[in-house]
Amino acid sequence: MRDIQTTIQALEGYIQAFPSAIRRLTEEELQHRPAPGKWSKIEFMGHLVDSATYNWQRFVNIQFEEKPFVIVSYAQEELVKRNDYQNQSLEELLSLWQLLNRQICRRLKQLSPEQLAWKVIAYGDKEGTLAWWADDYTQHLEHHLSQILGSLDVLAAKDAWHLPLEVARKKLAAQQASPFLELMRHGSMTVELYHPVGKDYQQPHSKDELYVIANGTSWFFHEGSRRKVGTGDVLFVPAGDVHRFEDFTEDFQTWVIFYGPEGGEKRSSE
């Protein structure tokens, strides 16, 4: 079990890093259900909102309830269905999820060592302290974030200054759930490796972007223009511009570098 400070730091890190990662998924990827009766990624996002809602209440209500505090389960499957998360806005769910988890972090920071030692009983057969439950909530969150993104490595801050292409290729191939993988981050900059398969579904991005073609060839569509590109070429796409790769070879891969503020830097003509 992690200590409470480590738990809070982990939660705050996910609050900051997760939104930009899930926004890179297409609407098709978000709404795809892998099998009948299985949740899509957007439904997992809705479940995380439900989980944050109930656990924020638990972390607050434990102050006023008899001890040990009894944690009662809720209708997870039914809530996802009745709330129709499959057809809800990702941005609205993200905003609510961030707000709820910020409130949880604030509450956890307010707890004294004596309060963190309060006894809880979860679902009738699990016993522990309030600090244990906070860590359990965080582990539950991590499990579902990994299901949505393919790996928590997408969210991990990378301090390395050297990223070999072969290492990036192996990591991307290993996670399988998405055609891209974030591999390095510093300040506003993130570096990904992108390997589209069949069709490039990406939408305009909120930050300025550089592509450095790592392998293969493709046609690149950008704001009405179309140009042949290949290994070693560098492409710049300002925030908000419509762009995509078309008719690319099977081995096509490209580095993707996002940087700067949301909305992009000012263009020289502005």
Side-chain angles (χ1 to χ4, degrees):
M1 186 185 85
R2 287 171 285 200
D3 64 79
I4 193 64
Q5 293 305 319
T6 303
T7 296
I8 293 170
Q9 288 172 5
L11 279 173
E12 290 179 330
Y14 299 138
I15 292 168
Q16 180 179 359
F18 176 63
S20 61
I22 194 173
R23 284 186 183 114
R24 296 193 185 108
L25 298 179
T26 66
E27 186 173 346
E28 181 178 339
E29 290 172 320
L30 286 169
Q31 294 186 332
H32 172 69
R33 289 179 173 135
K38 297 293 185 181
W39 288 345
S40 65
K41 295 180 187 296
I42 192 73
E43 287 175 313
F44 273 117
M45 185 70 241
H47 170 62
L48 290 180
V49 169
D50 291 337
S51 175
T53 300
Y54 275 84
N55 279 285
W56 177 36
Q57 293 173 341
R58 289 162 175 164
F59 290 128
V60 172
N61 290 344
I62 192 173
Q63 303 171 83
F64 315 109
E65 302 288 341
E66 293 183 2
K67 312 299 185 294
F69 180 74
V70 178
I71 294 172
V72 181
S73 61
Y74 61 94
Q76 300 180 18
E77 296 281 347
E78 191 66 18
L79 276 175
V80 169
K81 181 179 179 180
R82 288 182 178 270
N83 287 330
D84 192 26
Y85 290 129
Q86 179 73 357
N87 297 302
Q88 286 204 27
S89 161
L90 173 63
E91 291 304 318
E92 290 179 359
L93 291 176
L94 275 176
S95 295
L96 184 54
W97 177 81
Q98 285 184 297
L99 177 61
L100 288 166
N101 278 286
R102 287 193 182 107
Q103 289 295 100
I104 288 174
C105 287
R106 291 190 185 102
R107 177 67 192 127
L108 294 179
K109 289 177 180 178
Q110 294 168 350
L111 295 171
S112 67
E114 292 75 19
Q115 291 171 323
L116 289 166
W118 281 339
K119 298 298 182 182
V120 299
I121 299 176
Y123 312 135
D125 60 351
K126 293 183 178 180
E127 295 186 16
T129 63
L130 182 56
W132 162 77
W133 183 253
D135 184 52
D136 189 84
Y137 167 72
T138 306
Q139 290 186 46
H140 170 264
L141 172 62
E142 289 167 341
H143 171 68
H144 288 311
L145 294 184
S146 182
Q147 286 181 305
I148 293 171
L149 300 175
S151 170
L152 284 179
D153 288 343
V154 177
L155 304 177
K158 309 295 180 182
D159 297 323
W161 54 270
H162 177 214
L163 181 58
L165 178 58
E166 284 307 310
V167 172
R169 283 173 172 159
K170 289 178 181 178
K171 288 186 176 183
L172 177 60
Q175 63 111 21
Q176 296 181 338
S178 173
F180 68 88
L181 179 64
E182 183 181 305
L183 295 152
M184 184 182 290
R185 186 186 312 130
H186 178 77
S188 69
M189 181 204 73
T190 60
V191 178
E192 302 174 358
L193 186 64
Y194 180 45
H195 183 184
V197 177
K199 186 176 180 180
D200 181 4
Y201 293 97
Q202 65 178 310
Q203 300 296 313
H205 302 296
S206 62
K207 288 188 174 184
D208 290 335
E209 178 181 21
L210 286 173
Y211 291 102
V212 181
I213 310 303
N215 200 67
T217 60
S218 175
W219 285 89
F220 186 63
F221 178 89
H222 178 211
E223 291 287 306
S225 298
R226 198 168 183 262
R227 186 168 301 181
K228 188 71 176 287
V229 297
T231 304
D233 288 0
V234 178
L235 306 166
F236 168 63
V237 182
D241 280 10
V242 176
H243 65 285
R244 59 183 174 270
F245 293 98
E246 300 177 336
D247 301 323
F248 41 82
T249 56
E250 288 187 5
D251 63 346
F252 178 77
Q253 293 180 323
T254 182
W255 294 107
V256 185
I257 304 165
F258 293 101
Y259 66 93
E262 293 291 323
E265 296 182 333
K266 269 193 140 182
R267 307 191 192 190
S268 56
S269 59
E270 295 179 344

